Amino acid sequence: MTVIALPRVRRRAPVALGACLLSFAAFWWAQRAAHVSMIDLMVYRAEGETVRAGGDLYALRTTEAHLPTTYPPFAALLFTPLTLLDTSTMRTLATAGNLALLVVFVTLSLRLVDHARVEGVWWASAAAVWCEPVWTTVRYGQINLLLCVLVLWDLTRRPWHRWAGVGIGLAAAIKLTPALFAVFLLVTGVVAYVRRGPAGPWLRHARGAAVAFAGATLLAASVLPYDSWRFWSRMVFETGRVGLVEDTANQSLRGVLARLLHTTQPGLWWVAAAAVAGSLGLGVAVAAELRGRRAWAVATCAVTALLISPVSWSHHWVWCVPMVLILGTRGRATAVGAAQATAVSTALVTAAGTSLVFCSYALWWVPHGPGRLELQQTGAQLTLSALYEGAGLVFLTLIGVRLWRTCRTV
């Protein structure tokens, strides 16, 4: 009788946990069967070795692909502990660490949409591990999930907490793209101030991010003065070091335009597209935040950063996880009365369609690889190789339309 009286959530959680563990075990086996190289993890280790040896960080070329250092010097400092591990142990710990980070990322994403139930975390994690951005993140030994967790940890806490801004600041010091979240907080505070509303929380949050970023950057400069000078005076502007702009894996607006225009230098077309997308995306994010829609604001800011970045590899799109969760819960959160069933159905269909985009691996169905085959893609191939950008633009549009409708009903 006692067992029967237990809350349903307590009976369902072990089942969900078991399903998640089975999914993770299958994922681990599949990664090993695919003989993943974890090539980016090897680059991180080489950066740490270069720091310990006092070498030239930005002259480094490592692995069979001769990959260079592309992150700020602060990241290289964080990579130095990797030099204490042998390759096999490092890869095992990296895989386990990324799977643990995925669970934390899903937890924070569900907390963002106010659906942080225990069994929901396990079910969502079991499914999310198979989407292409997560698969590729683990395959390369990337740090995307760590950066996302830092940002969401920061943005799911109260804005007046002691460490407000630290997560965003550290993430931006490791890799510059998350800095747009600090800009988003600053602009939100300024707009609130102009409207004569309470701007303090956002401005304080943005200030905390700036202080954390500056502190980490200055720490790196004190330890690696020459490398810091080279990065901030030169390397930060050399986006070509990251990789070929037309590469199918580059799922940014710049990559799409390079493939669409069959050129390696989309030039002003990209500048104009990035300016428009950045302005509109940031505007939608600020509007959502001021209307109390933190989940919409955070996801919109993340998608905007991915779209306007010169290079956004497919594994950077791990932000698809909160995107799908937001789309799936949007109808339930906003609909009432007789329209609720229709709204929920629409939301679930939209979420399912977005999940299909990121779980289909369709961007790899097109010609790619040596010989710059991406510059010869046809119409259908161009569509497949722009799926992530398309999903991102559709997401921004849906959020923008929803905000407009909300504004009209107020």
Side-chain angles (χ1 to χ4, degrees):
M1 296 296 294
T2 304
V3 175
I4 296 176
L6 284 174
R8 185 178 299 177
V9 65
R10 293 185 61 184
R11 299 199 301 269
R12 291 184 303 197
V15 176
L17 174 58
C20 183
L21 292 176
L22 284 174
S23 180
F24 280 11
F27 176 88
W28 195 306
W29 177 85
Q31 288 264 318
R32 292 297 175 266
H35 301 291
V36 294
S37 63
M38 292 197 170
I39 190 170
D40 287 344
L41 182 63
M42 303 307 295
V43 174
Y44 300 158
R45 186 183 187 184
E47 291 180 24
E49 291 173 341
T50 302
V51 169
R52 292 188 62 183
D56 188 338
L57 190 59
Y58 294 99
L60 173 67
R61 292 294 186 277
T62 188
T63 72
E64 295 180 357
H66 302 286
L67 297 177
T69 301
T70 57
Y71 294 170
F74 179 67
L77 289 181
L78 299 182
F79 296 148
T80 53
L82 296 177
T83 62
L84 304 176
L85 304 172
D86 61 81
T87 301
S88 178
T89 301
M90 179 178 67
R91 288 175 171 171
T92 299
L93 290 177
T95 301
N98 266 322
L99 292 178
L101 284 169
L102 175 62
V103 174
V104 177
F105 184 41
V106 169
T107 301
L108 294 174
S109 298
L110 285 170
R111 183 182 300 171
L112 198 64
V113 297
D114 295 325
H115 284 269
R117 296 177 181 174
V118 175
E119 72 272 18
V121 171
W122 298 126
W123 285 119
S125 299
V129 74
W130 295 101
C131 72
E132 190 274 340
V134 173
W135 169 277
T136 311
T137 288
V138 182
R139 171 191 175 189
Y140 291 151
Q142 262 283 343
I143 59 171
N144 304 305
L145 290 169
L146 172 61
L147 299 179
C148 292
V149 165
L150 284 172
V151 170
L152 280 191
W153 171 81
D154 206 339
L155 292 171
T156 53
R157 293 164 64 86
R158 294 180 178 179
W160 55 84
H161 70 86
R162 180 181 303 178
W163 302 101
V166 171
I168 293 173
L170 290 178
I174 296 170
K175 193 172 183 178
L176 296 178
T177 308
L180 188 65
F181 286 97
V183 176
F184 149 70
L185 291 169
L186 176 62
V187 174
T188 303
V190 170
V191 172
Y193 178 79
V194 171
R195 293 181 178 180
R196 298 187 178 182
W202 294 294
L203 295 179
R204 184 164 52 249
H205 209 151
R207 183 172 63 247
V211 169
F213 172 81
T217 302
L218 290 174
L219 172 64
S222 66
V223 179
L224 303 169
Y226 175 71
D227 292 320
S228 294
W229 170 256
R230 285 196 69 195
F231 179 82
W232 294 108
S233 64
R234 179 182 171 185
M235 300 303 169
V236 69
F237 304 107
E238 295 184 1
T239 56
R241 290 170 55 85
V242 180
L244 299 177
V245 63
E246 74 277 7
D247 196 313
T248 296
N250 183 12
Q251 293 293 298
S252 70
L253 287 173
R254 188 168 179 237
V256 169
L257 288 172
R259 294 187 291 271
L260 179 64
L261 301 174
H262 305 292
T263 177
T264 59
Q265 297 295 332
L268 291 178
W269 288 104
W270 169 64
V271 173
V276 172
S279 300
L280 293 178
L282 194 59
V284 171
V286 170
E289 177 70 9
L290 290 175
R291 287 181 173 84
R293 305 288 188 178
R294 169 58 64 89
W296 296 3
V298 172
T300 298
C301 186
V303 171
T304 301
L306 291 168
L307 290 173
I308 68 176
S309 175
V311 175
S312 292
W313 300 127
S314 66
H315 52 77
H316 294 164
W317 283 83
V318 289
W319 283 103
C320 68
V321 174
M323 283 173 60
V324 170
L325 293 175
I326 288 170
L327 291 172
T329 58
R330 184 171 60 92
R332 272 179 243 178
T334 59
V336 293
Q340 185 173 17
T342 301
V344 170
S345 298
T346 302
L348 292 178
V349 169
T350 306
T354 306
S355 298
L356 181 61
V357 167
F358 290 101
C359 292
S360 66
Y361 295 70
L363 73 162
W364 299 114
W365 300 354
V366 303
H368 62 277
R372 295 194 161 180
L373 300 177
E374 290 89 344
L375 296 178
Q376 305 168 28
Q377 290 179 359
T378 62
Q381 293 167 347
L382 287 169
T383 300
L384 289 177
S385 67
L387 280 179
Y388 290 8
E389 297 89 340
L393 290 172
V394 169
F395 180 80
L396 294 184
T397 302
L398 288 174
I399 297 300
V401 170
R402 185 61 205 176
L403 283 171
W404 177 68
R405 289 178 177 175
T406 303
C407 184
R408 288 185 61 190
T409 57
V410 173

